[in-house]
Amino acid sequence: MLRCLRVAPLSLRANLHSSVHPWSAAAQRAVAPPEDFNDRAFKEYFPGPCNYRQQYNESVHNGDEFWTNVANELHFRRRSGKGLEYNFDHRKGEVFVKFMDGSITNVAYNCLEKNIISGMGNKVAYKWEGNVKGDACEITYSELRDKVVEFARVLKSRGVKKGDVVALYLPMIIDLPVAMLACARIGAIHSVVFAGFSSNALAERVKQAGAKVLVTCDGFYRAEKYIPMKQIADDAVKVCEDAKHPVESVLCLEHLKTVTRPSHTTDKALIRDEENFEFAVNDAKDVFAPVEWVQAEDPLFILYTSGSTGAPKGVVHTTAGYMTTAYYSQKVTFDAQANNDVYWCMADCGWITGHTYGVYGPLLNGMTSVLFEGVPSYPDYSRTWEIVGKHKVSKLYTSPTAVRSMMAHPEEMVTNYDRSQLNIIGTVGEPMNPCAWKWLHEVVGERSCAIVDTYWQTETGTHLLTAHHSAVPQESSCGNLPFHGIVPALLDENGKKVKGPGSGTLVIEKAWPGMMRTLWGDYERFVNTYFAPFPGYYFTGDGAKRDAENHYWVTGRVDDLMNVSGHLLSTAEIESALAANPNIVEAAVVATPHDVKGQVPYAFITMPEGQVMTPEIEKEMRATVRQRIGAIAVPDVIQFTPGLPKTRSGKIVRRILRKVAEGERNADLGDITTLADDTVIAELWSHRPENA
Ligand code: WTA
């Protein structure tokens, strides 16, 4: 108790006595983050007394030297002597980013062999927790390396070479990081597809990436729900048959036989002999799969993310830059302590957070991580805290959505479990709302954990804005500061830089090593999406505000993307899935606020004259969205309307739809004189479902 008081963050000292939350006797807090924890790592690079602002200035003004110093801690076969090179202005020539171009290294080697050589072979790399309580196992760094070599042999036996794409469609099982690392070991490019995606969404990604091999498993359970992975993968492969490069091999792991099934069993998968991973291991025993030493700018992975129009975008990350920033940001934001930490990133490896902070960041830092197959609500909402207590988790990375779903349940679901080692709780995915922040801080952290909000993107690879612990007071409304090496700016509607406090479109002025390099197979779209809107800047697609001390608050997307439970979805993609129904003339989808998920899709649809909406049609539309995109994209509300609010030039005025979706009858709708027909507004209100 005394220790907690002594090391509590400065800003809390004044009000500790007025704490309304009693210290839980069952789970006394013992450890709080040291005040300088975010600085500790940085001091290794810039010795002497320092503070965040000084460190930040150094990292920006001597960026090249700073990042190269960080990279010096990692293993390179050859260093070219080059640093960060880039051009963000397409008017001045090709947009590009390179880091240590011409150097040679291997990310998997740095994650595994480098740690093993330094004596960490017997250290646990992953503690796996299954969907059903009691299903658990661990794997050391040496064992992980052995599994990676075995997997790499199998990939090689299927003809996978450096530069080939391997699609990974797997749940959160140890084989997923194994497969990612196996690709990295042999210089293949992994493209992980989230296990919640439908067969069509998987097919689209497999096709676009030109994947040679698709790795999946028989199936898995998410809570009580059976997800037939192999069947979905088979359906996807069929869709890909006419592709320019159809999938050459499917590899299927047998996962179900290793786990406890929930109450019912519907799990059957057809695994042909040539697809069976276990048989393939046997066949590949004599295949040689050494570390492939690759170029700094060789691609490490592709990860698809929603685009505001058209198909999903295959974000490409390369080797040396991504590795350097994943290593460094893990170390600084989470104060990675290889010897003491048990770290748990709750994000699925199907998203960028799972890539950078579930696999590469923690392994590069020699950390022990928890890998969780299940969901926070199963068997009940105490599951997260049961795992935190069981493994004495010291650092947790979660999302506002997960927090909001847990805080709706009794506090005992948290306080009954040991959180004595927990000292940092990171969040990512959406703006952190004050209630969720307070709950994490007071109920979970009992006022002595650092709550570190982190803002970044699939494209950025690594943190852009964080609540740097030693510089941002522990209060929910304090905003975030730029991460080392990141130079954000705000632009007004004319593209002019906003000076001092204000708000605008968030852009980044300078490159950093871990940012995306291109969109797979579509360099033009890469330039048009991220650099053409504001020449000379990387365009994030988000809006933000800033105070006089350079704290930022990200306010949300400025494009047609929505953020449902931390996942970006394209309104255009949902609209085209809805409009595929022959009974529909047009569909318009907007994001509307939701207490737990942050935002949810709300759809407006028009139908041919005289046709009426029926529960069957609505059901069909929901099924199409589920099948084409996935359950997460299914609109909460599908509202029929005789017409959509359009300008005379035919553009849908979405701000009006948003107000209707939000139920704000008295809201100011702004200028409606440009509408072709303003009687539509009354129609929209009269058709709004009562329960929406
Ligand atoms: C949003 C996830 C506010 C934002 C790592 C961004 C956030 C998009 C935050 C990227 C945050 C992520 N505060 N908004 N801390 N973190 N976002 O590519 O709109 O899945 O552009 O990457 O999520 O989502 P993505």
Side-chain angles (χ1 to χ4, degrees):
M1 178 89 163
L2 191 65
R3 233 179 118 204
C4 293
L5 284 172
R6 194 162 50 82
V7 294
L10 269 178
S11 59
L12 292 181
R13 289 186 183 162
N15 60 10
L16 266 174
H17 297 295
S18 62
S19 164
V20 285
H21 281 273
W23 298 92
S24 153
Q28 280 242 338
R29 303 256 341 122
V31 181
E35 279 175 19
D36 70 341
F37 85 81
N38 278 156
D39 300 337
R40 236 177 1 204
F42 200 91
K43 281 181 184 160
E44 293 172 25
Y45 307 100
F46 292 94
C50 54
N51 58 38
Y52 162 78
R53 291 197 193 263
Q54 195 183 332
Q55 298 163 358
Y56 173 72
N57 289 340
E58 289 258 21
S59 73
V60 168
H61 294 128
N62 302 323
D64 220 26
E65 187 188 335
F66 164 62
W67 287 118
T68 316
N69 278 345
V70 175
N72 276 342
E73 300 203 348
L74 297 161
H75 179 84
F76 280 76
R77 225 0 172 19
R78 195 180 85 204
R79 289 171 203 268
S80 64
K82 291 191 176 165
L84 191 57
E85 302 164 86
Y86 70 100
N87 171 37
F88 273 7
D89 191 338
H90 67 290
R91 297 166 310 185
K92 294 187 181 153
E94 200 166 88
V95 171
F96 74 94
V97 179
K98 289 178 185 169
F99 181 62
M100 297 179 75
D101 192 29
S103 301
I104 290 174
T105 185
N106 181 289
V107 181
Y109 179 93
N110 275 282
C111 289
L112 300 169
E113 279 84 350
K114 179 172 175 283
N115 290 323
I116 295 166
I117 292 166
S118 68
M120 293 203 291
N122 292 329
K123 189 182 154 77
V124 174
Y126 284 112
K127 290 169 178 270
W128 181 77
E129 279 292 323
N131 178 54
V132 170
K133 245 192 213 179
D135 281 354
C137 67
E138 330 188 305
I139 188 165
T140 65
Y141 273 83
S142 290
E143 289 163 347
L144 185 61
R145 195 263 322 261
D146 294 348
K147 273 187 88 89
V148 167
V149 173
E150 181 184 87
F151 210 111
R153 286 194 178 123
V154 172
L155 291 177
K156 283 215 139 181
S157 74
R158 296 300 166 110
V160 176
K161 298 181 303 297
K162 178 175 177 249
D164 285 340
V165 178
V166 177
L168 306 176
Y169 184 60
L170 289 168
M172 285 290 276
I173 53 180
I174 288 177
D175 304 87
L176 180 47
V178 166
M180 292 164 74
L181 293 162
C183 291
R185 179 178 176 91
I186 61 172
I189 304 164
H190 59 71
S191 173
V192 181
V193 180
F194 174 56
F197 275 126
S198 66
S199 59
N200 280 346
L202 171 63
E204 187 173 22
R205 287 158 177 77
V206 166
K207 241 199 231 182
Q208 259 202 49
K212 191 166 191 171
V213 172
L214 169 61
V215 182
T216 188
C217 71
D218 40 8
F220 76 105
Y221 283 85
R222 183 176 284 134
E224 302 254 319
K225 188 167 180 233
Y226 177 56
I227 316 286
M229 298 291 279
K230 177 60 169 45
Q231 194 189 314
I232 300 171
D234 279 346
D235 293 345
V237 170
K238 257 190 231 123
V239 177
C240 296
E241 263 162 15
D242 61 341
K244 204 157 116 209
H245 305 286
V247 173
E248 288 176 21
S249 288
V250 172
L251 287 165
C252 184
L253 295 143
E254 286 185 82
H255 170 57
L256 290 166
K257 67 182 185 191
T258 65
V259 297
T260 312
R261 270 87 146 171
S263 49
H264 59 291
T265 42
T266 53
D267 47 351
K268 276 255 169 327
L270 171 68
I271 309 176
R272 294 165 201 96
D273 284 356
E274 69 276 14
E275 297 167 342
N276 191 312
F277 186 79
E278 273 173 41
F279 298 172
V281 167
N282 202 39
D283 293 345
K285 269 198 320 285
D286 301 323
V287 176
F288 189 44
V291 168
E292 179 89 37
W293 296 103
V294 300
Q295 292 281 331
E297 286 301 331
D298 278 338
L300 175 65
F301 66 84
I302 307 169
L303 187 58
Y304 281 88
T305 183
S306 295
S308 53
T309 53
K313 300 172 293 193
V315 170
V316 176
H317 283 286
T318 56
T319 298
Y322 176 81
M323 172 169 78
T324 304
T325 43
Y327 166 71
Y328 180 74
S329 55
Q330 179 81 47
K331 189 167 170 171
V332 172
T333 305
F334 290 102
D335 188 29
Q337 303 288 306
N339 296 329
N340 304 320
D341 278 331
V342 177
Y343 161 82
W344 179 16
C345 167
M346 290 174 70
D348 193 288
C349 290
W351 310 114
I352 190 69
T353 308
H355 279 57
T356 308
Y357 301 107
V359 178
Y360 291 111
L363 294 178
L364 288 165
N365 280 280
M367 295 176 97
T368 297
S369 295
V370 172
L371 193 77
F372 178 40
E373 183 189 23
V375 288
S377 54
Y378 182 73
D380 61 41
Y381 276 94
S382 65
R383 187 71 196 277
T384 302
W385 313 108
E386 185 257 332
I387 296 173
V388 165
K390 174 178 171 190
H391 295 295
K392 304 237 177 303
V393 169
S394 54
K395 278 134 197 193
L396 183 69
Y397 201 13
T398 185
S399 66
T401 292
V403 172
R404 286 192 296 262
S405 70
M406 292 187 281
M407 63 190 251
H409 299 273
E411 284 183 11
E412 293 71 50
M413 294 202 140
V414 180
T415 53
N416 282 345
Y417 297 91
D418 180 8
R419 286 152 290 128
S420 59
Q421 300 306 307
L422 197 59
N423 58 51
I424 299 173
I425 306 172
T427 63
V428 58
E430 311 144 70
M432 187 62 181
N433 53 315
C435 286
W437 191 96
K438 193 161 177 249
W439 185 81
L440 270 186
H441 186 50
E442 296 186 351
V443 179
V444 178
E446 294 187 15
R447 294 182 164 240
S448 51
C449 282
I451 314 293
V452 184
D453 181 30
T454 61
Y455 162 81
W456 58 296
Q457 307 176 309
T458 306
E459 294 87 339
T460 69
T462 175
H463 299 150
L464 292 184
L465 301 169
T466 67
H468 192 96
H469 179 65
S470 66
V472 177
Q474 285 283 291
E475 283 162 34
S476 64
S477 55
C478 282
N480 290 346
L481 286 165
F483 190 68
H484 299 144
I486 305 295
V487 186
L490 296 178
L491 302 182
D492 65 18
E493 56 276 17
N494 302 317
K496 291 256 156 6
K497 253 199 208 180
V498 175
K499 298 227 164 66
S503 59
T505 301
L506 180 65
V507 295
I508 312 292
E509 274 184 47
K510 290 187 177 185
W512 63 101
M515 66 182 296
M516 72 190 299
R517 299 300 196 254
T518 186
L519 289 174
W520 187 250
D522 204 347
Y523 174 77
E524 206 181 318
R525 189 176 180 197
F526 164 70
V527 176
N528 286 338
T529 310
Y530 302 103
F531 297 94
F534 302 102
Y537 299 101
Y538 166 80
F539 170 56
T540 62
D542 285 305
K545 50 184 192 168
R546 181 178 60 209
D547 70 7
E549 273 141 12
N550 215 28
H551 295 104
Y552 284 81
W553 289 262
V554 173
T555 45
R557 302 291 307 182
V558 293
D559 52 17
D560 284 335
L561 291 180
M562 66 178 82
N563 192 328
V564 180
S565 298
H567 306 315
L568 286 189
L569 296 173
S570 146
T571 49
E573 226 182 329
I574 306 175
E575 283 165 4
S576 68
L578 291 168
N581 192 299
N583 299 295
I584 302 308
V585 172
E586 200 172 12
V589 173
V590 294
T592 192
H594 185 274
D595 286 348
V596 173
K597 299 179 188 170
Q599 291 185 319
V600 286
Y602 187 118
F604 296 87
I605 53 129
T606 60
M607 301 176 95
E609 188 99 36
Q611 175 124 12
V612 287
M613 181 72 156
T614 63
E616 287 71 40
I617 298 178
E618 192 172 330
K619 210 167 141 200
E620 274 172 28
M621 282 194 287
R622 290 180 190 279
T624 316
V625 177
R626 190 172 297 115
Q627 185 214 351
R628 289 203 175 189
I629 310 170
I632 196 162
V634 176
D636 256 38
V637 179
I638 299 183
Q639 173 182 338
F640 164 78
T641 174
L644 290 167
K646 289 190 180 173
T647 60
R648 288 191 181 84
S649 59
K651 198 167 182 314
I652 297 174
V653 185
R654 284 166 198 279
R655 68 166 195 277
I656 295 177
L657 296 178
R658 269 183 220 115
K659 298 290 179 204
V660 176
E662 286 165 22
E664 275 191 59
R665 276 180 199 270
N666 300 323
D668 174 13
L669 296 179
D671 179 15
I672 53 167
T673 55
T674 54
L675 288 185
D677 173 11
D678 62 11
T679 61
V680 164
I681 298 174
E683 298 269 25
L684 280 168
W685 283 115
S686 70
H687 286 88
R688 190 174 188 275
E690 298 223 322
N691 54 356

